[in-house]
Structure formats: C-alpha cells, structure tokens
C-alpha cells in the first residue's frame, strides 16, 4: 500500500513534533508472542521526493516502477511491506525531514544532497536517478538579453537547489557573481516576481524552464551549454535505515535498472505518465526529461564526475560546510 502526504513546512512546533512522532510510529508495527518477545511484523519505507504538483508518486524510474506496481513487490524480500510517500517543495525542506527522522530515503537534486552530507547528516547515496539535468535562465521579453546585463540586478532561484548551483557557477564564470543579488524564491513565486519586475531573471528547473519559455519568457542561458553545470538527481538513504536493510541499495538498483529498460522500450507511455504525475504538458516533459538521462547503472562515471565537480564548487564557495570523499558516501 502506498500512502501520500504533502509536506507542509509552516506547521507549528507542536504539530510538527506530532507528525514526526506519528511517522516514526508508523514505520513499523510490533507484536508480542507468547514468550514475551517482540517481533517486527511490518517495515515501512518513508520515501521523500520533490514535487510542485499533488502527485502521490515521484517521476523517473522509481515513479515508473511504482506506477506499474513493481516497486513495493521488489522490496518485500527485504522485509519492507509498505511504502509511504511524502512530497516536498524543494531540497532544503527534504533535508529538514531527513534530520528530523521523518523519511528514510529521499530522491532529489545533487546539490542539497551534497550540502546535507557536508553538514554531517548521516546519509548514503544509493543511486543516481537522472544525470545531466538542464536548468534555464529566463527573463521577460523586454528584460536582459545576456548574462552581462544582469549586473546590478536581482535574480531569483530556489536556494540550495541544483539550479542555485548552476546560477552561482554561471555568474562566477562570467566574473559578475559579486555584482548580482541572488534571492530565494520557489518557481511559482519567482514567475510572479519576474512578471512584476521585482527580479530581472530567474533560474528555473527542468520542466519549469520550457513551460516559462512557452509563456513568452526569453531564455538567456541553459545549463546544457555548460556541461560541468548540469545537475543530477540522487537517491539517498539514512544510515539508520540501511542498518536495518543493508541490501536495499542492491535491490533498489535492480528495480531501477528494470524500470529504465522498460522506459526505453515504452518511452511514449512513460512520457504520458510523467506528464500526468508532474502536471507539465507532454511537450514540455519531452524537452525537459530526455530518456537518455535515466542511467541503468547505480552511479555512472559521468554522474560521479558531475557530483565531484559540484561538491568541489560548493566547498570552494563555502556553500558546503566541509569536504568529504564521494567514495565514502556512495554505497559500493
């Protein structure tokens, strides 16, 4: 059974505590046998993912496996009998849930995942779900036409996201990082701010970028023009959950590999699923999420190279608290 809960960041402290306690209590059920021993009868995997829609499942290979009822059955041999999904508006919110112990596995952008690890949050990377993600830098039709024209302007993006890393990296490449004010806004808020003229441009994620372009906003730049600034999507698990389920990474990637193979064989059906789950038009999904970006490998060579480059950049800009070895983070 899959239960979906929308994560609400602005809960009161008491309500948040109650929710976290409830989530923890629901993670397993126990019974006492005649000898007084307590035996675990169920184990719940609480899966967090990023969504701007009301979707109950993530997109990508994991979402496709869920959609075809192949995800939970694949995990049952590990003793996992329930998957509970929780969606978050951005990576930093998902990180807060990891810290609070409200989720066991998170699927999100590499930048917030790397930042979390650098801060000592006990996670391990078990898979890369997407490699080579694009990001878009957009302005109004009568706004800036080049990166140089952003000097002295405000640019909005979601703080701590892979688009944030792309934007900061791009500004540094052009030597104007100190002359541009970067403000934190989620995509829905950023579009309104751009329309009002509160910001000169926004750095938008896959999906949102082409959608804004279709609405008439001008594309100044894209991450695909800078191979080292592209993003990846990762799946991380808490060390506590992996202690209980040490074979999760292997089983996870077996499920993912089968899902990717099926996506490649049935790309049109996948795109329709992705459009329905994300709320984006079908043509936007096809532009934003090329099938080739879903790797069969757990962590492909190109994906690890992008992770390393992003980590080094975050450390050099003091956006990551400390450095660490990727090999210590990635589950072999």
């Amino acid at each position: 059974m899959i239960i979906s809960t929308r994560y609400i960041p602005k809960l009161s402290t008491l309500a948040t505590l109650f929710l976290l306690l409830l989530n923890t209590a629901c993670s397993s059920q126990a019974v006492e046998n005649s000898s007084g021993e307590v035996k675990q009868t169920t184990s719940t995997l609480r899966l967090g993912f990023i969504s701007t829609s009301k979707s109950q499942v993530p997109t990508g290979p994991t979402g496709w496996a869920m959609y075809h009822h192949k995800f939970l059955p694949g995990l049952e041999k590990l003793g996992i009998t329930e998957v509970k999904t929780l969606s978050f508006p951005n990576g930093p919110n998902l990180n807060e849930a990891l810290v609070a112990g409200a989720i066991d596995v998170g699927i999100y952008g590499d930048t917030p995942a790397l930042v979390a690890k650098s801060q000592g949050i006990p996670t391990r990377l078990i898979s890369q779900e997407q490699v080579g993600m694009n990001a878009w830098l957009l302005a109004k039709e009568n706004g800036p036409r080049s990166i140089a024209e952003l000097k002295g302007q405000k640019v909005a993006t979601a703080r701590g996201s892979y688009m944030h890393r792309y934007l900061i990296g791009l500004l540094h490449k052009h030597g104007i990082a100190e002359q541009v004010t970067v403000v934190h806004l989620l995509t829905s808020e950023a579009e309104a701010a751009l329309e009002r003229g509160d910001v000169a441009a926004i750095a938008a994620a896959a999906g949102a970028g082409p959608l804004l372009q279709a609405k008439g906003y001008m594309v100044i730049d894209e991450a695909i023009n800078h191979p080292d600034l592209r993003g990846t999507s990762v799946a991380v698990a808490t060390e506590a959950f992996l202690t209980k389920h040490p074979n999760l990474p292997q089983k996870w990637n077996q499920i993912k590999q089968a899902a990717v193979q099926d996506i490649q064989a049935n790309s049109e059906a996948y795109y329709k699923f992705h459009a329905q789950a994300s709320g984006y038009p079908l043509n936007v999904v096809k532009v934003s999420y090329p099938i080739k970006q879903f790797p069969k490998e757990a962590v492909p060579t190109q994906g690890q190279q992008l992770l390393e480059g992003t980590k080094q950049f975050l450390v050099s800009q003091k956006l990551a608290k400390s450095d660490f070895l990727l090999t210590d983070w990635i589950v072999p």
Side-chain angles (χ1 to χ4, degrees):
M1 179 174 66
I2 299 176
I3 304 173
S4 178
T5 303
R6 293 289 296 177
Y7 181 78
I8 305 175
K10 295 183 180 180
L11 289 173
S12 67
T13 302
L14 182 59
T16 302
L17 179 60
F18 175 78
L19 176 61
L20 297 181
L21 289 173
L22 180 62
N23 283 335
T24 302
C26 289
S27 66
S28 64
Q29 297 177 358
V31 296
E32 187 174 309
N33 61 22
S34 57
S35 64
E37 296 176 335
V38 176
K39 298 179 66 176
Q40 297 293 332
T41 58
T42 67
S43 181
T44 298
L45 186 155
R46 299 164 300 170
L47 174 62
F49 64 100
I50 307 301
S51 176
T52 56
S53 70
K54 296 181 179 179
S55 176
Q56 296 183 4
V57 297
T59 53
T62 299
W64 187 242
M66 286 184 172
Y67 179 69
H68 284 284
H69 306 290
K70 294 182 179 180
F71 186 68
L72 180 57
L75 299 176
E76 286 179 338
K77 290 184 178 180
L78 304 181
I80 296 171
T81 56
E82 182 183 35
V83 174
K84 182 176 182 180
T85 59
L86 300 97
S87 62
F88 300 84
N90 60 8
N93 287 132
L94 192 149
N95 278 340
E96 290 176 6
L98 284 169
V99 171
I103 58 174
D104 307 302
V105 177
I107 300 176
Y108 60 147
D110 52 15
T111 294
L114 287 163
V115 169
K117 182 61 180 178
S118 76
Q119 293 174 339
I121 298 177
T123 64
R124 298 292 301 276
L125 189 150
I126 62 175
S127 177
Q128 277 183 305
E129 304 287 290
Q130 192 175 350
V131 172
M133 295 162 61
N134 198 8
W136 283 260
L137 182 63
L138 304 105
K140 289 180 69 172
E141 189 174 355
N142 58 351
R145 285 291 182 275
S146 67
I147 298 167
E149 291 180 39
L150 295 176
K151 288 181 181 180
Q153 304 281 353
K154 292 181 181 179
V155 180
T157 194
R159 185 185 298 117
S161 64
Y162 84 93
M163 305 88 72
H164 186 200
R165 178 271 192 270
Y166 153 72
L167 175 60
I168 298 299
L170 181 68
L171 297 177
H172 274 278
K173 278 178 179 282
H174 287 262
I176 61 171
E178 303 301 322
Q179 299 166 283
V180 176
T181 301
V182 177
V183 297
H184 166 61
L185 289 174
L186 298 179
T187 300
S188 58
E189 301 167 331
E191 181 182 357
L194 182 59
E195 186 62 32
R196 291 192 304 266
D198 295 343
V199 296
I202 59 177
L211 186 62
L212 292 170
Q213 184 181 22
K215 291 182 179 181
Y217 293 95
M218 304 300 296
V219 177
I220 300 175
D221 189 73
E222 296 181 50
I224 56 172
N225 298 328
H226 316 276
D228 59 319
L229 297 182
R230 294 172 299 160
T232 73
S233 174
V234 300
V236 303
T238 65
E239 292 181 358
F241 196 75
L242 289 177
T243 297
K244 297 177 183 177
H245 304 283
N247 293 325
L248 174 67
Q250 180 182 10
K251 180 58 64 177
W252 182 286
N253 285 292
Q254 287 175 352
I255 295 170
K256 186 190 83 167
Q257 185 180 54
V260 172
Q261 289 175 334
D262 193 55
I263 288 172
Q264 291 173 343
N266 302 280
S267 59
E268 287 301 317
Y270 171 77
Y271 280 134
K272 289 180 181 178
F273 153 75
H274 194 130
Q276 182 179 15
S278 66
Y280 288 125
L282 185 61
N283 63 323
V284 168
V285 170
K286 288 184 176 182
V287 171
S288 301
Y289 304 94
I291 300 299
K292 64 181 181 180
Q293 290 186 359
F294 300 133
K296 290 182 180 179
E297 305 94 334
V299 181
T301 300
Q302 183 191 51
Q304 186 163 338
Q305 290 172 345
L306 286 172
L307 282 175
E308 183 62 37
T310 298
K311 178 176 68 73
Q312 290 178 0
F313 176 82
L314 293 172
V315 171
S316 68
Q317 298 301 312
K318 295 182 171 37
L319 297 172
K321 189 173 182 179
S322 61
D323 199 358
F324 58 92
L325 295 175
L326 284 181
T327 51
D328 291 340
W329 186 39
I330 299 171
V331 176

